[in-house]
Amino acid sequence: MTEQAALTGTAAPGAPRRAHSPAVSAARARRWGAFYYAEQVLRVMKGYGWTIVMYGVGQPVAYLFAMGVGLATLVDTRGAAGFGGVSYLAFIAPALLISAAVMAAANEFTFPVMDGFKWRRVYYGPHASPLTPEQIAAGQIIAVTVRFLLQSAIYFAVVALFGASPSGWGWLSVPVATLAGLSFGLPLMAYAASIKNDKGQFAMVMRFIVMPLFLFSGTFFPLETLPLGVRWVGWISPIWHGTELGRMATYGYQEPPAVTAVHLLFLVALAVAGWILTKRQFAKRMGS
Amino acid sequence: MSGVSNDDSHDHSQRYVISATNLTKKYGDFTAVDDISFHVPAGESFGLLGPNGAGKSTTMRMIGGVSQRTSGSLSIMGLDPEQHGPEVRAHLGVVPQQDNLDEELKVRDNLLVYGRYFGLPMSYLKPRADELLEFAQLTDKAKAKVDALSGGMKRRLTIARSLINEPSILLLDEPTTGLDPQARHILWDRLFRLKEAGTTLILTTHYMDEAEQLCDRLIVVDKGRIMAEGSPASLIREYSTREVLELRFGSERNATVGAELEGIGERLETLPDRVLVYAHDGEAALEQVHARGLHPLTSLVRRSSLEDVFLRLTGRSLVD
Ligand SMILES: Nc1ncnc2c1ncn2[C@@H]1O[C@H](COP(=O)(O)OP(=O)(O)OP(=O)(O)O)[C@@H](O)[C@H]1O
Ligand SMILES: [Mg+2]
């Protein structure tokens, strides 16, 4: 009976369609397609939601405790002046927050993209629907952005609990971390979409790009303490630009407004460039 | 194929739901689809038959608006899929050759999520998903992860998914590959009912019985070109005899016995495992064979099928 219904519902002559017309589908997809796909990615993420929460909570607790409390007892006795007049804990907390988002980006914008194009070909299902390749890329980005926001909010809550965000504007570090994640992640996504075979490129990115950026971005000590020859690593690092902004938010770190503008512009420019390249790569790879 | 010129293609798009004219697809120097034309009226069940690498899937993907053609024109419901991708795809249900389900989502969620891509509301999707699970005989697996399904069950879920938006055109790329015989017959029945309800079916298959059962009309393609076009019955009439006598002399003898059979029937085809004698009357042909003192290990008289048409046209037998 139900089987019969399933079929006669389908464009039976005279029988009314129960689905809205294809024209409505197309119009809605054109308008909301990216969000439809984001919904799908978020559903899948829910499957590993606990990992995300643990990543969001467990990592800051471990880091803040080991570095901010353990290491800080040594560092702080040498005088807080080197760290902008705040405790070592307050100094590294925003840096760790930003770094966590960037590291999450290094995962979210690599393997899942490979999965989409190659391993399980998850992009090709929605590709046959009214969605466009650009919307599939955008939907994944929206979903990952939600993840960054959530993860950074949890991270920030832990930081605040540790008393490491003395300023009332500390919560601003949450959108800053999200932006830093995107500015690192979107160019990486474009790269991941161009890879035909995984020969360990992503592990190399982690080892030779993410780790050095993490270590030399003024994370554990001010960038100015590094010799000039290495300081450029910080200048091109979304972690450094994000961290400087984060520090302004969490403990009122001072710098000229022009420098703040440069940090913001750098992050936005990288994210936008990454998005344009990603869009192109998706359209090219899915249209051939 | 014959006598279709470009300037009346506009007129075609009025009468046909799918209209391909001089459609060509190249990958680098390699031509996967070579200047093919066909026109499918609404409600027809149209088949593409051809050996591996013939260009069937490539053609299907161009119709589905997910692969850009190199040249030629293509119109689906009067629209060019490259210009109006979302509008064209909103009409379609697609069963790709390779399943691409969401392995991490549950079976029922796969249907819901897919329906969302068409902007369909949950109030429509939930009952529709349950109907389709029933249709695919997966109701008791609704809450299982796709990971945990067998190959055939995944195939059935992919087919169910393609119907979520009540498509008026269904593209089926080897839909029954991986299904057991019972599931195949059930699917044929369902497809037949969809067709009765007015859905246009575009189908590729390697199974001759499937093509004969389901297709009103088909094209035989090889190396990206159309070799023949017509209904299964007219193709058999045109390219084969009424009956076929299959003789097996053992793999050693098959190759050499051809000369001794010369003159029996209208045509001989020597395959590694058997010799086919095409004749109007198979029994009479067998008597002639015996009269020549030849004694095959086994012999069989059957009616001609699309398999024979295929063999004639491509020089290859159609095995998966
Ligand atoms: N993305 C691609 N890049 C290069 N060549 C391709 C690509 N896709 C298909 N081809 C080539 O185009 C030809 C036609 O392939 P297609 O998949 O359309 O064949 P098919 O008729 O569907 O075969 P099968 O019965 O095996 O599914 C093949 O020779 C194949 O190697
Ligand atoms: Mg194929």
Side-chain angles (χ1 to χ4, degrees):
Chain A
M1 247 355 271
T2 357
E3 294 168 17
Q4 190 90 28
L7 291 172
T8 47
T10 308
R17 277 181 70 87
R18 288 169 302 160
H20 56 226
S21 75
V24 174
S25 286
R28 290 203 182 163
R30 274 201 189 270
R31 183 151 195 171
W32 302 109
F35 293 95
Y36 294 152
Y37 191 64
E39 188 182 322
Q40 185 274 354
V41 181
L42 286 170
R43 262 176 201 266
V44 173
M45 270 188 198
K46 240 173 50 185
Y48 58 98
W50 270 113
T51 319
I52 296 175
V53 171
M54 288 318 288
Y55 197 73
V57 180
Q59 206 198 351
V61 170
Y63 265 102
L64 290 173
F65 199 78
M67 308 246 167
V69 181
L71 189 61
T73 51
L74 288 176
V75 178
D76 282 342
T77 53
R78 309 205 36 180
F83 303 108
V86 290
S87 71
Y88 188 57
L89 184 65
F91 176 78
I92 61 163
L96 293 175
L97 171 63
I98 305 295
S99 304
V102 167
M103 288 189 191
N107 282 314
E108 291 285 5
F109 289 123
T110 49
F111 300 105
V113 176
M114 207 64 188
D115 207 23
F117 282 117
K118 191 164 164 118
W119 294 328
R120 281 182 295 188
R121 302 169 51 82
V122 291
Y123 292 151
Y124 291 94
H127 186 31
S129 82
L131 304 190
T132 64
E134 291 86 344
Q135 287 176 325
I136 292 169
Q140 185 164 357
I141 293 166
I142 292 168
V144 173
T145 303
V146 170
R147 183 208 154 144
F148 288 167
L149 282 170
L150 192 76
Q151 172 191 319
S152 304
I154 297 171
Y155 209 127
F156 176 71
V158 177
V159 166
L161 275 177
F162 270 76
S165 175
S167 155
W169 293 99
W171 58 271
L172 274 175
S173 58
V174 172
V176 167
T178 304
L179 175 61
L182 291 174
S183 93
F184 180 77
L186 296 187
L188 187 58
M189 187 183 194
Y191 171 66
S194 75
I195 293 181
K196 295 272 153 63
N197 291 299
D198 176 30
K199 300 189 214 97
Q201 293 97 323
F202 297 149
M204 303 275 273
V205 166
M206 209 56 194
R207 217 163 291 158
F208 296 110
I209 299 180
V210 180
M211 281 323 276
L213 288 186
F214 177 50
L215 293 172
F216 300 110
S217 291
T219 325
F220 299 105
F221 38 82
L223 193 63
E224 302 81 70
T225 57
L226 279 178
L228 261 177
V230 202
R231 227 179 274 173
W232 61 268
V233 177
W235 294 335
I236 59 161
S237 165
I239 296 183
W240 181 66
H241 292 279
T243 296
E244 294 291 281
L245 291 170
R247 288 188 171 132
M248 293 176 67
T250 58
Y251 66 83
Y253 166 74
Q254 298 288 326
E255 62 177 16
V259 178
T260 307
V262 168
H263 292 317
L264 262 176
L265 268 176
F266 180 88
L267 293 177
V268 170
L270 213 53
V272 169
W275 163 237
I276 291 169
L277 291 173
T278 298
K279 219 163 62 159
R280 259 193 226 156
Q281 201 62 44
F282 269 63
K284 189 172 124 200
R285 190 145 174 198
M286 282 199 245
S288 67
Chain B
M1 290 114 296
S2 53
V4 176
S5 63
N6 270 326
D7 41 36
D8 59 11
S9 64
H10 179 71
D11 182 43
H12 277 135
S13 67
Q14 308 290 312
R15 275 182 291 137
Y16 297 109
V17 290
I18 298 176
S19 211
T21 310
N22 307 117
L23 190 61
T24 300
K25 175 74 184 184
K26 292 186 179 169
Y27 292 108
D29 297 337
F30 177 77
T31 307
V33 174
D34 195 357
D35 196 28
I36 69 174
S37 303
F38 55 87
H39 307 278
V40 183
E44 187 175 61
S45 174
F46 183 78
L48 284 82
L49 211 60
N52 294 136
K56 304 180 296 294
S57 298
T58 305
T59 305
M60 292 291 255
R61 295 195 307 115
M62 286 190 281
I63 296 172
V66 296
S67 175
Q68 304 207 328
R69 60 186 182 269
T70 308
S71 63
S73 70
L74 187 57
S75 147
I76 318 293
M77 305 296 285
L79 298 170
D80 181 338
E82 280 176 32
Q83 306 293 318
H84 304 276
E87 287 72 20
V88 166
R89 293 195 294 272
H91 285 279
L92 306 179
V94 180
V95 177
Q97 186 168 358
Q98 251 184 310
D99 290 325
N100 49 26
L101 296 159
D102 246 305
E103 305 256 342
E104 282 171 287
L105 291 183
K106 294 185 176 132
V107 167
R108 185 165 178 268
D109 289 345
N110 257 276
L111 299 177
L112 298 178
V113 158
Y114 209 78
R116 293 294 293 148
Y117 300 155
F118 293 81
L120 293 160
M122 280 296 168
S123 58
Y124 161 82
L125 286 172
K126 284 182 174 167
R128 178 70 175 161
D130 293 332
E131 282 168 11
L132 289 172
L133 287 175
E134 194 75 32
F135 161 75
Q137 298 167 293
L138 289 170
T139 303
D140 53 335
K141 296 279 181 186
K143 294 208 153 53
K145 281 215 174 176
V146 170
D147 270 341
L149 297 186
S150 76
M153 290 174 183
K154 284 184 192 169
R155 199 69 189 143
R156 273 152 37 197
L157 181 59
T158 302
I159 293 163
R161 188 183 71 175
S162 73
L163 296 171
I164 194 77
N165 59 322
E166 300 183 359
S168 60
I169 302 173
L170 197 53
L171 305 179
L172 301 145
D173 198 349
E174 298 185 26
T176 60
T177 301
L179 297 189
D180 63 37
Q182 193 203 356
R184 275 177 78 202
H185 280 97
I186 291 173
L187 182 71
W188 289 354
D189 170 59
R190 304 296 146 85
L191 292 177
F192 202 76
R193 284 199 253 163
L194 278 176
K195 182 174 144 45
E196 282 181 323
T199 308
T200 308
L201 304 179
I202 312 292
L203 174 87
T204 81
T205 182
H206 286 154
Y207 300 114
M208 293 302 126
D209 47 351
E210 188 160 291
E212 278 169 43
Q213 291 265 336
L214 290 178
C215 297
D216 299 324
R217 197 161 61 95
L218 46 88
I219 51 177
V220 179
V221 278
D222 190 20
K223 301 192 181 91
R225 291 176 162 276
I226 294 178
M227 312 295 288
E229 177 189 5
S231 67
S234 73
L235 285 172
I236 292 169
R237 243 190 339 268
E238 188 170 348
Y239 293 97
S240 192
T241 51
R242 199 172 69 98
E243 290 186 337
V244 187
L245 170 62
E246 292 201 8
L247 302 171
R248 290 169 200 262
F249 291 90
S251 44
E252 298 288 292
R253 277 280 277 148
N254 284 336
T256 53
V257 81
E260 299 169 51
L261 290 169
E262 206 59 58
I264 303 178
E266 293 177 24
R267 203 164 54 82
L268 282 180
E269 194 81 60
T270 307
L271 301 179
D273 63 330
R274 65 212 140 115
V275 179
L276 304 180
V277 180
Y278 288 94
H280 183 73
D281 182 345
E283 287 298 339
L286 182 58
E287 273 170 30
Q288 284 179 275
V289 171
H290 286 151
R292 291 192 187 183
L294 294 167
H295 297 285
L297 303 174
T298 64
S299 62
L300 167 79
V301 174
R302 59 168 175 82
R303 294 187 74 90
S304 267
S305 72
L306 281 176
E307 179 87 46
D308 302 295
V309 174
F310 194 82
L311 194 60
R312 171 81 183 274
L313 287 169
T314 68
R316 265 172 290 175
S317 62
L318 218 152
V319 272
D320 292 277

Coordinates of all heavy atoms in Angstrom, one line a residue, chain B residues 53 56-58 97 173-174 204, ligand 2:
Chain B
G53 N 33.4 1.5 -21.0 CA 34.2 2.6 -21.6 C 33.5 3.2 -22.8 O 34.1 4.0 -23.5
K56 N 28.8 5.8 -21.7 CA 27.4 5.8 -21.2 C 27.3 6.8 -20.0 O 26.5 7.7 -19.9 CB 26.9 4.4 -20.8 CG 27.0 3.4 -21.9 CD 26.4 2.1 -21.4 CE 27.3 1.4 -20.4 NZ 28.6 1.0 -20.8
S57 N 28.2 6.5 -19.0 CA 28.2 7.3 -17.8 C 28.5 8.8 -18.1 O 27.9 9.7 -17.5 CB 29.2 6.8 -16.7 OG 28.8 5.5 -16.4
T58 N 29.4 9.0 -19.0 CA 29.8 10.3 -19.3 C 28.6 11.1 -19.9 O 28.3 12.2 -19.6 CB 30.9 10.3 -20.4 OG1 32.0 9.6 -19.8 CG2 31.4 11.7 -20.7
Q97 N 26.4 5.5 -11.2 CA 26.9 4.2 -11.2 C 27.6 3.8 -9.9 O 27.4 2.7 -9.4 CB 28.0 4.1 -12.3 CG 28.5 2.7 -12.6 CD 29.3 2.6 -13.9 OE1 29.5 3.6 -14.6 NE2 29.9 1.5 -14.1
D173 N 22.0 4.9 -13.8 CA 23.3 4.4 -14.4 C 23.6 3.0 -13.8 O 24.0 2.9 -12.7 CB 24.4 5.4 -14.1 CG 25.6 5.1 -15.1 OD1 25.6 4.1 -15.8 OD2 26.5 6.0 -15.1
E174 N 23.3 2.0 -14.5 CA 23.4 0.6 -14.1 C 22.7 0.4 -12.7 O 23.4 0.0 -11.7 CB 24.9 0.2 -14.0 CG 25.5 0.2 -15.4 CD 26.9 -0.3 -15.4 OE1 27.3 -1.1 -14.5 OE2 27.7 0.2 -16.3
T204 N 21.1 3.1 -18.2 CA 22.2 2.3 -18.8 C 22.2 1.0 -18.1 O 21.8 0.8 -17.0 CB 23.6 3.0 -18.6 OG1 24.1 2.6 -17.3 CG2 23.5 4.5 -18.8
Ligands
MG2 MG 29.5 3.7 -16.7

